[in-house]
């Protein structure tokens, strides 16, 4: 099983949507995908499982259930499973999170951990992951924050990290030393995995717990990124 950490240097960049729809794209390739949410619950809404789950990560950490009991399958994508974040915040250690991942390891092909900005609390997760996907919007604060994370990964000799630039407006307006996407890439210090335009399709699908149209621009980009994660030679799609 491979472990992919989806993270960001600041909130609001869209790590949850990236986690859900990239996982769904891989599930479409007949892989069993687990989404593990470390931050506040939101993936249950995106994956359409809000009414299905009984337990969450907090229940596991409190000893009220076993990890498998908290896992639910997406209503719109067979092979896509979610272990939702805790309803009420509960501090956890890296060792506790690793124990949960290890207990579920044999049941899935890939585990996507939606770290959000929690990477600062669990830096070991990034260092031990097979792949890190850093998500930023095309603005100074996000790109600079990812750059700081990149420096820490470099110090740990971790090289398998890639950048996803999300929420790129159709009419991009240069501001605060960010004149184009190349400036974002340079400031983040990572190779590019994909570029997602601001998408009404993503917003409407995520709020309604519905699948993303695979033929939409966003759907095609997620499909391409999934292929690249699988080692395929897929051209970069920029909407």
């Amino acid at each position: 099983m491979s472990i992919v950490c989806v993270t960001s240097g600041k909130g609001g960049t869209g790590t949850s949507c990236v986690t859900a729809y990239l996982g769904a794209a891989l599930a479409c390739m007949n892989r069993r995908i687990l989404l593990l949410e470390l931050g506040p619950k939101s993936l249950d809404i995106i994956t359409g499982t809000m009414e299905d789950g009984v337990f969450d990560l907090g229940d596991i950490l409190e000893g009220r259930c076993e990890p498998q009991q908290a896992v639910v399958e997406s209503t719109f994508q067979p092979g896509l499973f979610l272990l939702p974040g805790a309803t009420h915040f509960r501090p956890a250690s890296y060792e506790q999170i690793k124990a949960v991942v290890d207990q579920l390891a044999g049941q899935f092909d890939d585990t996507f951990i939606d770290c959000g900005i929690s990477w600062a609390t669990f830096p070991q997760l990034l260092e031990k992951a097979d792949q890190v996907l850093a998500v930023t919007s095309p603005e100074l604060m996000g790109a600079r924050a990812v750059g700081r994370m990149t420096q820490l990964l470099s110090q740990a000799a971790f090289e398998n990290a890639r950048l996803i630039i999300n929420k790129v407006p159709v009419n991009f307006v240069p501001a605060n030393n960010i004149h184009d996407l190349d400036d974002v890439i340079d400031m983040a210090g990572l190779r590019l995995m994909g570029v997602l335009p601001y998408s009404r399709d993503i917003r409407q699908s995520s709020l309604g717990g519905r699948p993303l149209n695979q033929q939409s621009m966003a759907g095609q980009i997620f499909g391409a990124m999934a292929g690249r994660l699988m080692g395929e030679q897929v051209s970069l799609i920029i909407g």
Side-chain angles (χ1 to χ4, degrees):
M1 180 188 72
S2 66
I3 296 176
V4 180
C5 284
V6 184
T7 186
S8 180
K10 64 180 288 292
T13 61
T15 60
S16 294
C17 284
V18 168
T19 299
Y21 293 125
L22 190 50
L26 283 164
C28 284
M29 301 166 73
N30 295 318
R31 296 183 70 81
R32 284 174 62 86
I33 305 298
L34 174 66
L35 312 180
L36 171 57
E37 187 173 32
L38 294 188
K41 278 187 179 180
S42 62
L43 282 174
D44 60 332
I45 298 174
I46 301 172
T47 57
T49 59
M50 187 169 61
E51 303 299 330
D52 300 330
V54 176
F55 300 111
D56 58 32
L57 180 60
D59 293 306
I60 297 172
L61 298 178
E62 293 286 355
R64 289 190 287 269
C65 72
E66 294 298 318
Q68 182 56 47
Q69 294 176 278
V71 175
V72 292
E73 187 169 12
S74 168
T75 58
F76 65 72
Q77 179 58 59
L80 181 66
F81 298 83
L82 170 66
L83 198 168
T87 302
H88 304 290
F89 176 76
R90 183 191 187 283
S93 67
Y94 163 72
E95 288 74 19
Q96 288 175 305
I97 300 301
K98 182 178 183 301
V100 172
V101 173
D102 288 346
Q103 287 184 60
L104 295 169
Q107 303 174 41
F108 302 96
D109 296 306
D110 307 288
T111 294
F112 279 70
I113 303 178
D114 181 6
C115 298
I117 59 174
S118 298
W119 70 267
T121 306
F122 307 105
Q124 303 99 318
L125 280 178
L126 303 190
E127 297 168 13
K128 301 298 183 182
D130 298 291
Q131 176 87 58
V132 171
L133 300 177
V135 182
T136 185
S137 49
E139 42 84 23
L140 177 61
M141 289 185 291
R144 186 174 62 185
V146 169
R148 289 196 294 268
M149 181 179 66
T150 301
Q151 291 176 353
L152 292 175
L153 290 173
S154 179
Q155 292 171 8
F158 185 92
E159 299 180 351
N160 205 16
R162 298 293 182 267
L163 178 69
I164 296 175
I165 306 177
N166 192 25
K167 300 182 180 180
V168 178
V170 175
N171 298 310
F172 181 78
V173 178
N176 296 326
N177 297 321
I178 301 293
H179 300 95
D180 52 32
L181 297 186
D182 286 336
D183 286 337
V184 178
I185 297 169
D186 291 343
M187 192 169 293
L190 293 174
R191 290 172 56 189
L192 188 63
M193 170 64 75
V195 176
L196 285 159
Y198 177 82
S199 169
R200 183 174 296 177
D201 288 332
I202 293 177
R203 178 174 174 78
Q204 292 178 342
S205 295
S206 63
L207 291 176
R210 299 190 300 271
L212 190 63
N213 182 353
Q214 296 183 33
Q215 301 307 312
S216 68
M217 178 59 68
Q220 293 179 53
I221 293 172
F222 277 113
M225 288 195 291
R228 298 180 84 183
L229 281 176
M230 293 294 295
E232 300 175 6
Q233 297 297 317
V234 181
S235 298
L236 184 69
I237 301 175
I238 299 181

